Amino acid sequence: MAGRESTHQMPGTLTEEQAARMLAGMNEVIRAGEEMRKLRTEMIKLFAGFGWTQDRIARIADMSQPAVSKQVAKYAVDAAAPPVGLDLDLDQHDTPWLEGRLWGLAEVVAESLDAARCTRCVDALARGRKRFTSRTVDELRRLLEEDLMTHRAELPADLRAAYDVISRALDVPPKPTAATTATVPAAVRRTLAHQLQRDRLQEQRLSGERER
């Protein structure tokens, strides 16, 4: 009938399922791009809160100074007011922080092994193809634990020790703290913990090399 969408596939055309699969892949890239832009904006606000100059932020963010200035002005960032509740101590137990630590640890393991089981999951999280949900975190924990068990002889003991601490903390309901009620978004806390965990493991490795 006129005006009604045909339910039959015309010769030489795509099926609705084929079109949906193609668009789903594009939508993932678009969503990831939007989320990364939002995260970068939050990080710029954080750095401005540290009192860093716009020139310094532009240099480390690989942006122009006018672009950084626009972001700072748009969100009325007060450079004299560090984010409320921000704590850079690695030993914190709110869920985003622990997820960031797990992510950082898994990334180190993936970089240390030629065929780590967790590599694909780590890459998907880093590129925004997967989001941090209870399901993806459970998947990452399972794959990471398999890697640590299978390659126990190849990996430094501090990687397993870090995993045990993080895993136990994730199994315990987080206690309300200043961090969990802070104004710092979960994605920013996750990103900070990810980098701090990597730095801690790097420091431990260098310390071990010096002792030898």
Side-chain angles (χ1 to χ4, degrees):
M1 293 178 61
R4 178 178 297 178
E5 184 178 358
S6 173
T7 59
H8 299 288
Q9 180 185 3
M10 298 296 291
T13 64
L14 293 171
T15 66
E16 185 174 325
E17 289 183 357
Q18 288 173 318
R21 285 197 296 270
M22 287 192 300
L23 290 176
M26 297 176 192
N27 288 338
E28 283 186 3
V29 175
I30 292 170
R31 280 195 298 269
E34 291 174 348
E35 290 171 2
M36 285 300 159
R37 282 193 291 272
K38 290 178 182 177
L39 178 57
R40 186 176 68 172
T41 296
E42 293 293 344
M43 297 305 294
I44 289 173
K45 291 163 62 177
L46 180 72
F47 298 150
F50 287 153
W52 291 6
T53 65
Q54 293 180 13
D55 285 338
R56 183 182 184 187
I57 296 172
R59 184 173 66 254
I60 63 176
D62 194 23
M63 296 171 63
S64 68
Q65 193 277 333
V68 171
S69 179
K70 183 178 180 180
Q71 291 280 2
V72 172
K74 180 179 179 180
Y75 293 96
V77 176
D78 184 354
V84 176
L86 179 64
D87 184 356
L88 297 182
D89 180 7
L90 191 61
D91 187 23
Q92 299 183 61
H93 292 164
D94 60 291
T95 299
W97 192 265
L98 291 168
E99 290 172 346
R101 291 190 61 184
L102 183 74
W103 177 23
L105 172 61
E107 201 168 69
V108 170
V109 170
E111 292 168 357
S112 302
L113 299 173
D114 291 334
R117 293 291 306 281
C118 67
T119 298
R120 183 173 296 180
C121 186
V122 168
D123 288 345
L125 289 168
R127 297 176 183 277
R129 293 196 299 268
K130 285 189 176 182
R131 300 183 183 184
F132 281 90
T133 65
S134 58
R135 177 177 295 183
T136 55
V137 170
D138 285 345
E139 177 188 1
L140 183 59
R141 289 176 67 179
R142 175 177 54 80
L143 295 172
L144 178 55
E145 186 162 12
E146 288 181 16
D147 285 328
L148 291 169
M149 289 292 292
T150 303
H151 302 277
R152 182 187 296 270
E154 305 169 49
L155 296 171
D158 56 353
L159 299 184
R160 178 72 205 199
Y163 174 79
D164 288 342
V165 170
I166 297 167
S167 186
R168 283 196 299 267
L170 281 169
D171 287 334
V172 177
K175 298 178 181 179
T177 63
T180 59
T181 58
T183 58
V184 182
V188 173
R189 288 188 57 73
R190 195 179 290 117
T191 301
L192 290 171
H194 163 266
Q195 186 59 52
L196 291 174
Q197 181 64 70
R198 286 183 59 94
D199 291 346
R200 172 68 62 83
L201 293 171
Q202 174 72 1
E203 290 167 5
Q204 291 173 341
R205 185 183 67 81
L206 293 175
S207 177
E209 291 177 352
R210 286 195 294 268
E211 290 176 359
R212 289 197 298 268

